[in-house]
Every structure is written in C-alpha cells, then in structure tokens.
Amino acid sequence: MAMIDNFDNIDPTAVAAILYQPEDDADKLLADFVQDLARHDVRVGGIVQRHFRNANGTHVMLAVDVATGREISISQLLGSGAASCKLDTNGLAEAAIVVSQALRNKVDLVVISKFAKQEAVGRGLRAEFVDAITRGVPLLTAVPQKCLSDWRAFMGDVGTLLLCDRQVVEDWWRDVAARPARRRAFSPRWSYLGTMIPDSLMTAARISPRSAPESPVALIRGIRKQP
C-alpha cells in the first residue's frame, strides 16, 4: 500500500481536500474551479469526475482530463440489465496516467477528483496522491464525509480541509499562489492572500454560508484597481 513516509518537507497547506456531504456537488465545484483557473493562465492538470445516467438508468462515471477535456470511462456494468456499476480498473489506470503526466509536466496545481473508499484501502489513485504530495505540487481533491477518518489516517496532521464552497476554495488557492516560493510560477492575477476556515469552524460555517463569490473576472478587476 502506497504511503507517505516523511511529512517533514511537505507544505501542510499545499494539500487541500474539499469535505462534502451526499447533497453537495463537489464534482461540479472542482470542474468549474479548475476550468476558470485554466482560463486565467494557471497550468492545471489531473482529473475531475462526471456522473450521469443513460436512458436505461445505468449510472455512468467518467474521469475527465482537465488539461485536454478527454473523457475516460471508469465504470462498467455489473451485468446484463443492471442499473448499477462498478469501477473499471482499466479506466482507473488511464486516469492514473493522466495524473502522472500532469506531475511530469510540472503543473501549477494538480487535481485528483476524490479520495474515497478505493484510495482508503490502497487502490484507486492512492499511489498518485502519494506521488503528488511527496513532490510538493499543490494538490486539490475532495473527500466524502464518510471517508474523513481514512483521509486523516492517510495524511496525519498535514493538509487543509475546505468547505464545499467556491469562495472557500478560491481563498485557499490565493493563499497557496501568493507564497514567495511559488509566486513566479502562477499568474499574478491570482496571487493575493485569502483566508482559511479552520476545521473547528466548519460546522458553523456550513450553517452560516459566506456571501456569494464574485466571478473571476470581477475579482481580477478588483485587483487591478488596488494601488
């Protein structure tokens, strides 16, 4: 099972996980966020997920390469007429290659759709998580509430938990991109400090959500007006 042997040289805030509940659409949040980053000259790599149902009711899962838009099927039918599916190991292997290629390309941010049951037991994209984290590449993922204890066992005290909220994710990214060691690697339009919501405040923050986030264009205009 792939493990992280040494956390000493890992920036604890460069790894972030969006903690989501069953009613949250973390997949859409990740997909929309990385698409907007790419439009503003941030080099993003990795995968996000898409879910939909065919006309016969079959649940289909796709891994989408965020750099190219290529869709990879990661689900397969359990049998003739089955409405449910299971993960396709061949599709997962293709998705793993996408993440590995992004790391070789030295992207500014790598996105791995989620750390869930498969990763918790050492399968899925667990090895790619370890590779990204040990390389020190900023990493954004999502973790379902039911897998939070597995994520904490995997990461120890390293990493940041984020609300499933666009503004919170943007704040995390601004903080990461603004750090002197990385500032030259990112578009300056995203390089200013934001704020984080600590784990202890997550329940209160969920009950009292922040105001609706500005669009990336509005945010950029605001930055340009600053002295």
Side-chain angles (χ1 to χ4, degrees), residues 33 100 138:
F33 178 65
S100 296

Side-chain angles (χ1 to χ4, degrees), residues 83-135:
S84 58
C85 62
K86 66 177 182 178
L87 288 173
D88 181 357
T89 54
N90 291 330
L92 285 174
E94 285 189 58
I97 291 172
V98 170
V99 176
S100 296
Q101 184 61 56
L103 293 172
R104 287 194 294 272
N105 291 342
K106 299 180 178 180
V107 294
D108 300 330
L109 172 68
V110 64
V111 178
I112 303 179
S113 55
K114 63 190 60 178
F115 183 99
K117 291 181 179 179
Q118 291 293 309
E119 288 72 26
V121 297
R123 297 194 291 267
L125 299 180
R126 186 183 179 105
E128 286 65 40
F129 273 98
V130 172
D131 194 14
I133 293 165
T134 54
R135 285 174 183 250

Side-chain angles (χ1 to χ4, degrees), residues 42-68:
V42 179
R43 295 168 60 244
V44 188
I47 61 165
V48 294
Q49 278 190 21
R50 283 187 58 221
H51 298 254
F52 63 91
R53 291 191 179 276
N54 285 328
N56 63 1
T58 302
H59 181 205
V60 177
M61 292 184 291
L62 299 174
V64 181
D65 182 340
V66 300
T68 67

Side-chain angles (χ1 to χ4, degrees), residues 136-158:
V137 179
L139 169 67
L140 180 61
T141 188
V143 175
Q145 179 69 48
K146 63 184 178 182
C147 293
L148 178 57
S149 61
D150 298 308
W151 173 251
R152 284 177 165 156
F154 173 65
M155 290 297 299
D157 294 328
V158 175

Side-chain angles (χ1 to χ4, degrees), residues 2-219:
M3 298 291 293
I4 301 171
D5 297 323
N6 186 358
F7 288 96
D8 292 345
N9 297 320
I10 296 172
D11 180 350
T13 61
V15 181
I18 299 168
L19 183 63
Y20 66 95
Q21 308 286 349
E23 64 271 19
D24 293 325
D25 194 346
D27 292 328
K28 186 177 188 305
L29 172 59
L30 275 174
D32 290 348
F33 178 65
V34 298
Q35 185 177 54
D36 286 339
L37 285 185
R39 288 171 178 164
H40 295 98
D41 304 324
V42 179
R43 295 168 60 244
V44 188
I47 61 165
V48 294
Q49 278 190 21
R50 283 187 58 221
H51 298 254
F52 63 91
R53 291 191 179 276
N54 285 328
N56 63 1
T58 302
H59 181 205
V60 177
M61 292 184 291
L62 299 174
V64 181
D65 182 340
V66 300
T68 67
R70 182 169 71 96
E71 296 179 342
I72 303 166
S73 175
I74 56 173
S75 61
Q76 58 183 190
L77 294 178
L78 293 173
S80 177
S84 58
C85 62
K86 66 177 182 178
L87 288 173
D88 181 357
T89 54
N90 291 330
L92 285 174
E94 285 189 58
I97 291 172
V98 170
V99 176
S100 296
Q101 184 61 56
L103 293 172
R104 287 194 294 272
N105 291 342
K106 299 180 178 180
V107 294
D108 300 330
L109 172 68
V110 64
V111 178
I112 303 179
S113 55
K114 63 190 60 178
F115 183 99
K117 291 181 179 179
Q118 291 293 309
E119 288 72 26
V121 297
R123 297 194 291 267
L125 299 180
R126 186 183 179 105
E128 286 65 40
F129 273 98
V130 172
D131 194 14
I133 293 165
T134 54
R135 285 174 183 250
V137 179
L139 169 67
L140 180 61
T141 188
V143 175
Q145 179 69 48
K146 63 184 178 182
C147 293
L148 178 57
S149 61
D150 298 308
W151 173 251
R152 284 177 165 156
F154 173 65
M155 290 297 299
D157 294 328
V158 175
T160 302
L161 285 174
L162 305 177
L163 287 172
C164 191
D165 177 90
R166 171 62 182 255
Q167 185 68 60
V168 174
V169 176
E170 287 184 0
D171 287 347
W172 167 79
W173 173 246
R174 290 169 188 146
D175 187 31
V176 171
R179 298 187 176 209
R182 295 192 178 99
R183 187 172 292 140
R184 288 180 303 221
F186 305 117
S187 167
R189 292 171 291 182
W190 285 88
S191 296
Y192 60 102
L193 291 173
T195 56
M196 303 294 284
I197 294 182
D199 195 17
S200 61
L201 298 180
M202 290 188 70
T203 300
R206 184 174 293 279
I207 295 172
S208 302
R210 301 173 62 174
S211 57
E214 297 179 83
S215 69
V217 173
L219 288 168

